[in-house]
Amino acid sequence: MMIDSHAHLELRDFDSDREDVIKRARDAGVDAIVTIGIDLDDCRKAVEIAGNHDEVYAAVGIHPHEVKEINRQTYDRMRELAVMPKVVAYGEIGLDFFKNHSPRDVQLRRFGEQLELADDLNLPVIIHDREAHKETINLLSGWKGARRGVIHCFSGDYAMARKCLDLGFYISIPGTVTFPKAEILRDVVRRVPAESLLVETDAPFLTPAPHRGKRNESAYVKYTAMKVAEIKEMPFEKLAEITARNACELFKIEM
Ligand code: NI
């Protein structure tokens, strides 16, 4: 068993060969892919792709880059999408203080609102945190959501990971773990129990070695899982299975 817990199959990058990408993932042993919408239109597309493919599930939410576009109708539309079949999570939501495509105060407010919405919808959350560790932990600490969630594309150190685990969150490891400079991330992988880890591609971004520099796709989650298994000195099949079970548990996917 193997699951790509975070991809963006709805992005235009996959318009010309989406079916092939999904097929290659299946051939590589990927049993499920969670595809993540980042704005209203992409969320609609994500739900549609999930509806057309047994192994694809969807998450809906407004990405921190896009939260400046939220208006009075947005959350009503998100509520409609969130109850569609195969929507398994709310996200990705959070804070990106690296790119700052939306003003920070807007990001903070919209993150708080979307956490409440997710709880209202009884969905787990997928968290995007880039260079906003302290603020992310602050908001998650005050959040009452029962379904908890995952810190996607984890970029903190072990101390940060420990706080996330204590708050009941999973840590998701991206392809960057294969990069030579990713020593801090490898330390996190070493010290966090496999029972708290997920693996992801974030395709089309963050392509792992040996395909670094090319477009990423869900089939390549195996390189990330292989690296994580190697770091944890665990057979690949076992690591893939444990992380897949974690994803099934979090997203309530039955396999
Ligand atoms: Ni993403």
Side-chain angles (χ1 to χ4, degrees):
M1 259 170 85
M2 186 162 47
I3 293 182
D4 180 4
S5 73
H6 192 116
H8 297 281
L9 297 180
E10 61 288 333
L11 290 186
R12 245 174 309 176
D13 306 63
F14 295 113
D15 276 356
S16 64
D17 64 346
R18 187 169 293 109
E19 297 305 318
D20 293 339
V21 165
I22 294 170
K23 183 177 183 308
R24 279 199 293 274
R26 200 183 303 140
D27 293 346
V30 178
D31 300 283
I33 303 166
V34 184
T35 194
I36 321 284
I38 54 170
D39 62 15
L40 202 46
D41 284 343
D42 278 12
C43 287
R44 287 199 184 98
K45 214 165 146 190
V47 169
E48 188 187 317
I49 294 165
N52 292 331
H53 299 86
D54 284 347
E55 65 270 70
V56 181
Y57 297 81
V60 298
I62 309 295
H63 191 286
H65 291 344
E66 311 296 334
V67 291
K68 59 181 181 297
E69 309 295 342
I70 290 177
N71 61 37
R72 233 177 282 159
Q73 283 86 44
T74 308
Y75 293 145
D76 292 338
R77 299 288 89 79
M78 295 310 292
R79 280 179 188 275
E80 292 164 9
L81 283 169
V83 296
M84 298 290 279
K86 297 186 79 185
V87 173
V88 296
Y90 194 90
E92 55 185 292
I93 56 174
L95 302 169
D96 195 313
F97 290 176
F98 178 69
K99 293 203 172 160
N100 291 305
H101 288 333
S102 292
R104 290 186 184 197
D105 59 325
V106 176
Q107 289 190 43
L108 286 161
R109 189 170 82 242
R110 297 310 194 187
F111 185 22
E113 289 170 359
Q114 292 194 89
L115 281 171
E116 292 317 310
L117 178 55
D119 187 25
D120 221 32
L121 292 162
N122 194 31
L123 287 172
V125 287
I126 297 171
I127 303 298
H128 174 109
D129 156 34
R130 193 151 180 215
E131 302 202 356
H133 300 333
K134 205 180 84 205
E135 293 82 355
T136 298
I137 290 292
N138 272 346
L139 271 150
L140 293 182
S141 299
W143 185 54
K144 298 286 183 286
R147 291 282 310 275
R148 310 322 284 173
V150 54
I151 314 297
H152 123 78
C153 190
F154 188 77
S155 60
D157 59 8
Y158 178 72
M160 164 80 183
R162 192 63 257 167
K163 287 179 190 157
C164 297
L165 299 181
D166 291 345
L167 288 169
F169 281 79
Y170 288 93
I171 304 285
S172 185
I173 306 300
T176 47
V177 73
T178 64
F179 296 178
K181 284 185 183 159
E183 214 28 77
I184 294 172
L185 184 58
R186 282 190 286 273
D187 180 59
V188 168
V189 168
R190 213 169 282 127
R191 296 164 73 181
V192 170
E195 287 66 28
S196 293
L197 294 178
L198 306 184
V199 288
E200 66 168 83
T201 56
D202 203 20
F205 314 110
L206 301 180
T207 314
H211 296 292
R212 190 175 181 181
K214 301 204 190 94
R215 182 191 67 174
N216 201 0
E217 59 177 72
S218 288
Y220 298 166
V221 75
K222 72 177 174 213
Y223 298 112
T224 302
M226 279 161 61
K227 189 56 160 184
V228 171
E230 178 196 313
I231 295 164
K232 299 199 80 62
E233 298 178 1
M234 191 183 272
F236 163 73
E237 290 77 13
K238 190 176 170 199
L239 185 281
E241 165 112 21
I242 293 172
T243 53
R245 280 186 197 288
N246 295 341
C248 287
E249 163 110 17
L250 175 64
F251 298 129
K252 288 200 178 14
I253 292 174
E254 286 182 29
M255 300 193 51

